[in-house]
Amino acid sequence: MAVDASTITEQAIAWSLRQHDMDDAAWRAFVTWLEADPAHARAFDTLTLDASLMADHPEVFPVDAAESVPPVERNRARKMLRWGVGAGALALAASFSLLVLPSLPNTAAAPYVVATKAGERRAIALADGTRIELNGATRIELDRSDPRTARLAAGEATFHVRHDADHPFVLHSGDLAVEDMGTVFNAEREGYRLDVQVGEGAVLFQPKRDKLTLRAGSAVTARDDTGHVAVSKVDPAHVGGWRTGNIAFAGEPFGRIVNALRRIDAAEVSIEPVLSQQAFTGMVHLTGKPAQDVPHLAALVGADWRHDGKRWAISAR
């Protein structure tokens, strides 16, 4: 028996509301639901785009303008918008018509941006079954007309790609590109530098030029400005370690460890240049609490730290 459109929309909203706290079993169930009917993927994709539009254009979607909405529902919509998900407000759309797009023509095929603030995390699911987990201070560009491509503009994300040999998923970042070959991988963009680590499967780095195959346990560091490319080994179990707070570093400048702290803790941290370039190898555990993490990082390199009530500073002894 066919399921009507309103029921599919309700199901899509329910899945959207669960995105932040789903375990692996729930994600498998979600992907099964997406694949069961093309209408499911279309409904969820529409929610994802409209939610992004609502978050990016509050002048078009003022929640308070819907004065006929009961206070409890208005508060729920505000909460969803603060989360950056927007699905709660979308759930109200059927009754309160909050999703009219008077000043955003031709949105069906428009690229859209998903971004997180420092200290914020977000998980998004694409219509093809691919899942992307965003670390703090991350900006990724997606295209509703082509869910098999994405662009990492800044920050860090872990990609769980649903493989399709006929339509490979391609991640662009700066002048560089990574093509999926059935993969879980982590990508980090910092200035001109792109780091890619493969946890499962394989990726093809620079598919239209170098065609460098990276399999599970491999990593690449590349720069747009110099063209430098370096391949190394990683523990697949540590790929995307920011999700648990356990991050492995091998000979990295200490400044990159501090950048990881800024993304996860949303802390304002300064570091002396001499420490920033100091090489560090080891496992770092970040709790998301600056009062614990800053002293911990300082101790790892024998440095001093101080806090003026707002900002943190790490300096050589």
mmCIF file of all heavy atoms in Angstrom, residues 67-96:
data_model
loop_
_atom_site.group_PDB
_atom_site.id
_atom_site.type_symbol
_atom_site.label_atom_id
_atom_site.label_comp_id
_atom_site.label_asym_id
_atom_site.label_seq_id
_atom_site.Cartn_x
_atom_site.Cartn_y
_atom_site.Cartn_z
ATOM 1 N N GLU A 67 2.286 34.674 14.861
ATOM 2 C CA GLU A 67 1.671 34.940 16.167
ATOM 3 C C GLU A 67 0.551 33.973 16.482
ATOM 4 O O GLU A 67 0.159 33.819 17.636
ATOM 5 C CB GLU A 67 1.137 36.372 16.199
ATOM 6 C CG GLU A 67 2.232 37.423 16.156
ATOM 7 C CD GLU A 67 3.196 37.313 17.319
ATOM 8 O OE1 GLU A 67 2.790 36.801 18.375
ATOM 9 O OE2 GLU A 67 4.358 37.712 17.165
ATOM 10 N N SER A 68 0.014 33.308 15.447
ATOM 11 C CA SER A 68 -1.063 32.353 15.712
ATOM 12 C C SER A 68 -0.532 31.031 16.231
ATOM 13 O O SER A 68 -1.288 30.179 16.657
ATOM 14 C CB SER A 68 -1.851 32.091 14.419
ATOM 15 O OG SER A 68 -0.995 31.561 13.425
ATOM 16 N N VAL A 69 0.798 30.847 16.211
ATOM 17 C CA VAL A 69 1.374 29.611 16.695
ATOM 18 C C VAL A 69 1.348 29.616 18.224
ATOM 19 O O VAL A 69 1.757 30.584 18.845
ATOM 20 C CB VAL A 69 2.840 29.472 16.212
ATOM 21 C CG1 VAL A 69 3.428 28.170 16.717
ATOM 22 C CG2 VAL A 69 2.893 29.556 14.696
ATOM 23 N N PRO A 70 0.872 28.543 18.856
ATOM 24 C CA PRO A 70 0.864 28.487 20.321
ATOM 25 C C PRO A 70 2.260 28.693 20.877
ATOM 26 O O PRO A 70 3.254 28.305 20.265
ATOM 27 C CB PRO A 70 0.358 27.058 20.603
ATOM 28 C CG PRO A 70 -0.402 26.685 19.369
ATOM 29 C CD PRO A 70 0.297 27.357 18.238
ATOM 30 N N PRO A 71 2.381 29.336 22.068
ATOM 31 C CA PRO A 71 3.694 29.638 22.645
ATOM 32 C C PRO A 71 4.604 28.422 22.752
ATOM 33 O O PRO A 71 5.796 28.525 22.506
ATOM 34 C CB PRO A 71 3.349 30.200 24.021
ATOM 35 C CG PRO A 71 1.978 30.777 23.852
ATOM 36 C CD PRO A 71 1.278 29.869 22.885
ATOM 37 N N VAL A 72 4.056 27.268 23.126
ATOM 38 C CA VAL A 72 4.895 26.080 23.264
ATOM 39 C C VAL A 72 5.534 25.720 21.941
ATOM 40 O O VAL A 72 6.716 25.388 21.845
ATOM 41 C CB VAL A 72 4.070 24.888 23.809
ATOM 42 C CG1 VAL A 72 4.896 23.606 23.747
ATOM 43 C CG2 VAL A 72 3.618 25.172 25.233
ATOM 44 N N GLU A 73 4.735 25.808 20.845
ATOM 45 C CA GLU A 73 5.266 25.466 19.534
ATOM 46 C C GLU A 73 6.251 26.516 19.046
ATOM 47 O O GLU A 73 7.242 26.194 18.390
ATOM 48 C CB GLU A 73 4.115 25.306 18.522
ATOM 49 C CG GLU A 73 3.169 24.157 18.835
ATOM 50 C CD GLU A 73 3.881 22.808 18.805
ATOM 51 O OE1 GLU A 73 4.955 22.712 18.194
ATOM 52 O OE2 GLU A 73 3.374 21.857 19.399
ATOM 53 N N ARG A 74 6.012 27.800 19.352
ATOM 54 C CA ARG A 74 6.955 28.836 18.937
ATOM 55 C C ARG A 74 8.300 28.619 19.619
ATOM 56 O O ARG A 74 9.357 28.749 19.002
ATOM 57 C CB ARG A 74 6.409 30.226 19.279
ATOM 58 C CG ARG A 74 5.291 30.683 18.356
ATOM 59 C CD ARG A 74 5.231 32.211 18.333
ATOM 60 N NE ARG A 74 5.017 32.789 19.654
ATOM 61 C CZ ARG A 74 3.825 33.005 20.188
ATOM 62 N NH1 ARG A 74 2.728 32.662 19.516
ATOM 63 N NH2 ARG A 74 3.710 33.547 21.374
ATOM 64 N N ASN A 75 8.270 28.274 20.910
ATOM 65 C CA ASN A 75 9.513 28.029 21.626
ATOM 66 C C ASN A 75 10.251 26.829 21.048
ATOM 67 O O ASN A 75 11.478 26.808 20.960
ATOM 68 C CB ASN A 75 9.238 27.787 23.115
ATOM 69 C CG ASN A 75 8.793 29.050 23.816
ATOM 70 O OD1 ASN A 75 9.075 30.156 23.351
ATOM 71 N ND2 ASN A 75 8.075 28.909 24.912
ATOM 72 N N ARG A 76 9.488 25.815 20.637
ATOM 73 C CA ARG A 76 10.099 24.629 20.039
ATOM 74 C C ARG A 76 10.782 24.987 18.727
ATOM 75 O O ARG A 76 11.899 24.538 18.435
ATOM 76 C CB ARG A 76 9.023 23.565 19.809
ATOM 77 C CG ARG A 76 9.545 22.259 19.201
ATOM 78 C CD ARG A 76 8.466 21.194 19.295
ATOM 79 N NE ARG A 76 8.895 19.960 18.665
ATOM 80 C CZ ARG A 76 8.543 19.586 17.454
ATOM 81 N NH1 ARG A 76 7.770 20.370 16.729
ATOM 82 N NH2 ARG A 76 8.957 18.449 16.949
ATOM 83 N N ALA A 77 10.140 25.837 17.940
ATOM 84 C CA ALA A 77 10.730 26.258 16.670
ATOM 85 C C ALA A 77 12.006 27.046 16.910
ATOM 86 O O ALA A 77 13.007 26.865 16.224
ATOM 87 C CB ALA A 77 9.734 27.107 15.886
ATOM 88 N N ARG A 78 11.981 27.959 17.912
ATOM 89 C CA ARG A 78 13.183 28.724 18.222
ATOM 90 C C ARG A 78 14.334 27.790 18.617
ATOM 91 O O ARG A 78 15.468 27.977 18.215
ATOM 92 C CB ARG A 78 12.908 29.692 19.378
ATOM 93 C CG ARG A 78 11.998 30.853 19.027
ATOM 94 C CD ARG A 78 12.040 31.894 20.138
ATOM 95 N NE ARG A 78 10.986 32.862 19.976
ATOM 96 C CZ ARG A 78 9.825 32.818 20.594
ATOM 97 N NH1 ARG A 78 9.567 31.822 21.416
ATOM 98 N NH2 ARG A 78 8.913 33.746 20.390
ATOM 99 N N LYS A 79 14.016 26.786 19.411
ATOM 100 C CA LYS A 79 15.036 25.859 19.866
ATOM 101 C C LYS A 79 15.667 25.133 18.696
ATOM 102 O O LYS A 79 16.887 24.989 18.611
ATOM 103 C CB LYS A 79 14.418 24.850 20.847
ATOM 104 C CG LYS A 79 15.443 23.872 21.437
ATOM 105 C CD LYS A 79 14.767 22.951 22.416
ATOM 106 C CE LYS A 79 15.770 21.983 23.036
ATOM 107 N NZ LYS A 79 15.127 21.038 23.956
ATOM 108 N N MET A 80 14.830 24.695 17.739
ATOM 109 C CA MET A 80 15.365 23.981 16.591
ATOM 110 C C MET A 80 16.247 24.875 15.739
ATOM 111 O O MET A 80 17.274 24.455 15.227
ATOM 112 C CB MET A 80 14.216 23.410 15.728
ATOM 113 C CG MET A 80 13.420 22.337 16.432
ATOM 114 S SD MET A 80 14.489 20.953 16.929
ATOM 115 C CE MET A 80 13.362 20.019 17.937
ATOM 116 N N LEU A 81 15.851 26.126 15.588
ATOM 117 C CA LEU A 81 16.667 27.046 14.792
ATOM 118 C C LEU A 81 17.992 27.314 15.473
ATOM 119 O O LEU A 81 19.024 27.445 14.821
ATOM 120 C CB LEU A 81 15.909 28.352 14.547
ATOM 121 C CG LEU A 81 14.781 28.246 13.513
ATOM 122 C CD1 LEU A 81 13.971 29.530 13.530
ATOM 123 C CD2 LEU A 81 15.329 27.981 12.128
ATOM 124 N N ARG A 82 18.000 27.401 16.815
ATOM 125 C CA ARG A 82 19.252 27.594 17.534
ATOM 126 C C ARG A 82 20.169 26.396 17.342
ATOM 127 O O ARG A 82 21.383 26.512 17.281
ATOM 128 C CB ARG A 82 19.002 27.822 19.022
ATOM 129 C CG ARG A 82 18.493 29.205 19.354
ATOM 130 C CD ARG A 82 18.722 29.507 20.820
ATOM 131 N NE ARG A 82 18.095 28.533 21.693
ATOM 132 C CZ ARG A 82 16.841 28.636 22.131
ATOM 133 N NH1 ARG A 82 16.097 29.654 21.766
ATOM 134 N NH2 ARG A 82 16.344 27.718 22.932
ATOM 135 N N TRP A 83 19.569 25.193 17.263
ATOM 136 C CA TRP A 83 20.367 24.010 17.016
ATOM 137 C C TRP A 83 20.996 24.054 15.632
ATOM 138 O O TRP A 83 21.955 23.362 15.362
ATOM 139 C CB TRP A 83 19.507 22.751 17.105
ATOM 140 C CG TRP A 83 19.172 22.356 18.505
ATOM 141 C CD1 TRP A 83 19.664 22.898 19.665
ATOM 142 C CD2 TRP A 83 18.261 21.352 18.912
ATOM 143 N NE1 TRP A 83 19.117 22.276 20.751
ATOM 144 C CE2 TRP A 83 18.250 21.335 20.325
ATOM 145 C CE3 TRP A 83 17.455 20.456 18.224
ATOM 146 C CZ2 TRP A 83 17.470 20.449 21.041
ATOM 147 C CZ3 TRP A 83 16.676 19.582 18.946
ATOM 148 C CH2 TRP A 83 16.687 19.578 20.343
ATOM 149 N N GLY A 84 20.412 24.850 14.726
ATOM 150 C CA GLY A 84 20.907 24.865 13.363
ATOM 151 C C GLY A 84 20.298 23.765 12.520
ATOM 152 O O GLY A 84 20.719 23.522 11.407
ATOM 153 N N VAL A 85 19.281 23.060 13.055
ATOM 154 C CA VAL A 85 18.663 21.966 12.316
ATOM 155 C C VAL A 85 17.446 22.455 11.567
ATOM 156 O O VAL A 85 17.250 22.159 10.408
ATOM 157 C CB VAL A 85 18.274 20.818 13.281
ATOM 158 C CG1 VAL A 85 17.548 19.725 12.541
ATOM 159 C CG2 VAL A 85 19.517 20.273 13.965
ATOM 160 N N GLY A 86 16.608 23.231 12.223
ATOM 161 C CA GLY A 86 15.439 23.794 11.560
ATOM 162 C C GLY A 86 14.302 22.816 11.389
ATOM 163 O O GLY A 86 13.209 23.199 10.989
ATOM 164 N N ALA A 87 14.481 21.525 11.661
ATOM 165 C CA ALA A 87 13.436 20.558 11.393
ATOM 166 C C ALA A 87 12.220 20.763 12.281
ATOM 167 O O ALA A 87 11.097 20.481 11.880
ATOM 168 C CB ALA A 87 13.971 19.134 11.579
ATOM 169 N N GLY A 88 12.421 21.235 13.516
ATOM 170 C CA GLY A 88 11.273 21.482 14.380
ATOM 171 C C GLY A 88 10.367 22.531 13.792
ATOM 172 O O GLY A 88 9.148 22.398 13.800
ATOM 173 N N ALA A 89 10.963 23.610 13.254
ATOM 174 C CA ALA A 89 10.152 24.631 12.600
ATOM 175 C C ALA A 89 9.513 24.081 11.345
ATOM 176 O O ALA A 89 8.383 24.433 11.004
ATOM 177 C CB ALA A 89 11.016 25.837 12.270
ATOM 178 N N LEU A 90 10.225 23.181 10.647
ATOM 179 C CA LEU A 90 9.648 22.577 9.447
ATOM 180 C C LEU A 90 8.428 21.735 9.804
ATOM 181 O O LEU A 90 7.474 21.632 9.041
ATOM 182 C CB LEU A 90 10.694 21.700 8.750
ATOM 183 C CG LEU A 90 11.855 22.469 8.103
ATOM 184 C CD1 LEU A 90 12.920 21.499 7.633
ATOM 185 C CD2 LEU A 90 11.350 23.294 6.942
ATOM 186 N N ALA A 91 8.464 21.108 10.967
ATOM 187 C CA ALA A 91 7.327 20.305 11.384
ATOM 188 C C ALA A 91 6.090 21.164 11.556
ATOM 189 O O ALA A 91 4.954 20.691 11.433
ATOM 190 C CB ALA A 91 7.648 19.584 12.698
ATOM 191 N N LEU A 92 6.283 22.451 11.841
ATOM 192 C CA LEU A 92 5.153 23.354 11.995
ATOM 193 C C LEU A 92 4.637 23.873 10.658
ATOM 194 O O LEU A 92 3.575 24.484 10.590
ATOM 195 C CB LEU A 92 5.570 24.565 12.854
ATOM 196 C CG LEU A 92 6.147 24.267 14.227
ATOM 197 C CD1 LEU A 92 6.588 25.567 14.881
ATOM 198 C CD2 LEU A 92 5.124 23.561 15.083
ATOM 199 N N ALA A 93 5.405 23.643 9.594
ATOM 200 C CA ALA A 93 5.105 24.291 8.320
ATOM 201 C C ALA A 93 3.725 23.921 7.793
ATOM 202 O O ALA A 93 3.028 24.756 7.201
ATOM 203 C CB ALA A 93 6.163 23.932 7.288
ATOM 204 N N ALA A 94 3.322 22.660 7.976
ATOM 205 C CA ALA A 94 2.043 22.241 7.423
ATOM 206 C C ALA A 94 0.890 23.056 7.979
ATOM 207 O O ALA A 94 -0.078 23.351 7.280
ATOM 208 C CB ALA A 94 1.821 20.755 7.714
ATOM 209 N N SER A 95 0.995 23.449 9.246
ATOM 210 C CA SER A 95 -0.085 24.196 9.871
ATOM 211 C C SER A 95 0.094 25.701 9.792
ATOM 212 O O SER A 95 -0.875 26.445 9.740
ATOM 213 C CB SER A 95 -0.195 23.796 11.351
ATOM 214 O OG SER A 95 -0.450 22.421 11.486
ATOM 215 N N PHE A 96 1.346 26.163 9.773
ATOM 216 C CA PHE A 96 1.569 27.588 9.942
ATOM 217 C C PHE A 96 2.276 28.256 8.774
ATOM 218 O O PHE A 96 2.605 29.421 8.837
ATOM 219 C CB PHE A 96 2.367 27.829 11.236
ATOM 220 C CG PHE A 96 1.726 27.187 12.429
ATOM 221 C CD1 PHE A 96 2.351 26.149 13.076
ATOM 222 C CD2 PHE A 96 0.486 27.602 12.882
ATOM 223 C CE1 PHE A 96 1.759 25.548 14.175
ATOM 224 C CE2 PHE A 96 -0.107 27.006 13.981
ATOM 225 C CZ PHE A 96 0.528 25.971 14.626
#
